[in-house]
Amino acid sequence: MNESTLHYIYDPMCGWCYGAEPLIEAARAVTRIEAHAGGMMMGAQRRPVTPELRRYVNEADQRIAHLSGQPFGAAYKDGLLNDAGAVLDSEPPITAILAAGQVASRGLELLARLQKAHYVEGRRVAERPVLADLAADIGIDRDAFEHAYDDMAGPATKEHVVATRTLMNRLGATGYPSLALERDGAFARIELAPYLGRPDAWREFLGQHFTIRQKV
């Protein structure tokens, strides 16, 4: 089979993307993934934690946990979601993921670490010191990360999000996560929902469409 690219449209504040994280991890073993952040909670869409938001998020999280098997920690459910000083903002973590990609080609690894920090450990992943700590957790040099974060903050992050939304329009994708397989310039959407909580079925699907890549 020819080398293909799997385009992954995500948002770091999207619970369904957290639910799909094991599937993305499995896909990383067999093909190149290009990640595109959509900015679900950027700018006017960023949200402080309120009782109304907490009720909405709790209902969604219960469904995600049921379908995907992904854990939601007490520090998140009983801590962060009761923290009136916390703000859900996609932009800083997107910038951090872009910085990790620039420094070490480890954007998706940082995304997974951010998701665990948010949904299990209940940490404020919209705060830059937390983001720097998480980058260090996965072995990225802190100074290099900080410099890259400065480079990717502001206009560069916004340009990335605009490009993602252009891709979403091209693909007809309306939400997160969305996947599309690119091969020989042609794109084909892949539905992740049927595979949530079914890693064996997902691996079988991957085996039908990709050859195993050797890690270097």
Side-chain angles (χ1 to χ4, degrees), residues 30-59:
V30 299
T31 191
R32 188 175 85 86
I33 299 181
E34 189 170 329
H36 309 269
M40 182 178 73
M41 286 185 162
M42 273 179 64
Q45 301 305 315
R46 62 198 297 269
R47 292 287 183 267
V49 175
T50 63
E52 293 77 18
L53 180 68
R54 182 165 58 251
R55 283 194 293 271
Y56 172 80
V57 168
N58 274 328
E59 290 179 7

Side-chain angles (χ1 to χ4, degrees), residues 6-176:
L6 197 61
H7 293 270
Y8 175 40
I9 298 168
Y10 76 96
D11 190 90
M13 294 290 97
C14 168
W16 290 103
C17 294
Y18 172 59
E21 194 280 327
L23 306 182
I24 299 303
E25 177 66 22
R28 287 179 60 217
V30 299
T31 191
R32 188 175 85 86
I33 299 181
E34 189 170 329
H36 309 269
M40 182 178 73
M41 286 185 162
M42 273 179 64
Q45 301 305 315
R46 62 198 297 269
R47 292 287 183 267
V49 175
T50 63
E52 293 77 18
L53 180 68
R54 182 165 58 251
R55 283 194 293 271
Y56 172 80
V57 168
N58 274 328
E59 290 179 7
D61 291 345
Q62 289 174 17
R63 188 157 180 252
I64 293 165
H66 174 72
L67 290 173
S68 71
Q70 285 283 78
F72 290 80
Y76 165 74
K77 293 186 290 185
D78 302 328
L80 183 66
L81 291 184
N82 287 285
D83 182 354
V87 176
L88 303 186
D89 184 352
S90 299
E91 186 166 354
I94 290 173
T95 300
I97 291 162
L98 294 174
Q102 183 186 80
V103 169
S105 300
R106 298 180 70 183
L108 282 172
E109 289 180 58
L110 185 58
L111 171 60
R113 182 66 188 94
L114 285 166
Q115 290 169 325
K116 181 179 178 182
H118 179 72
Y119 290 107
V120 178
E121 300 165 7
R123 297 169 72 178
R124 293 184 179 187
V125 297
E127 297 183 358
R128 181 164 174 169
V130 174
L131 295 168
D133 286 344
L134 297 174
D137 283 352
I138 66 168
I140 296 177
D141 178 81
R142 185 179 291 267
D143 288 340
F145 172 81
E146 293 281 9
H147 287 303
Y149 189 99
D150 288 337
D151 288 343
M152 301 309 301
T157 293
K158 291 178 173 63
E159 288 170 11
H160 174 87
V161 168
V162 168
T164 296
R165 293 176 180 174
T166 299
L167 177 63
M168 292 177 75
N169 288 336
R170 176 182 180 183
L171 297 174
T174 57
Y176 313 99

Side-chain angles (χ1 to χ4, degrees), residues 3 28-29 104-106 109 212-216:
E3 181 75 8
R28 287 179 60 217
S105 300
R106 298 180 70 183
E109 289 180 58
I212 301 300
R213 299 168 72 235
Q214 297 297 321
K215 293 188 176 182
V216 294

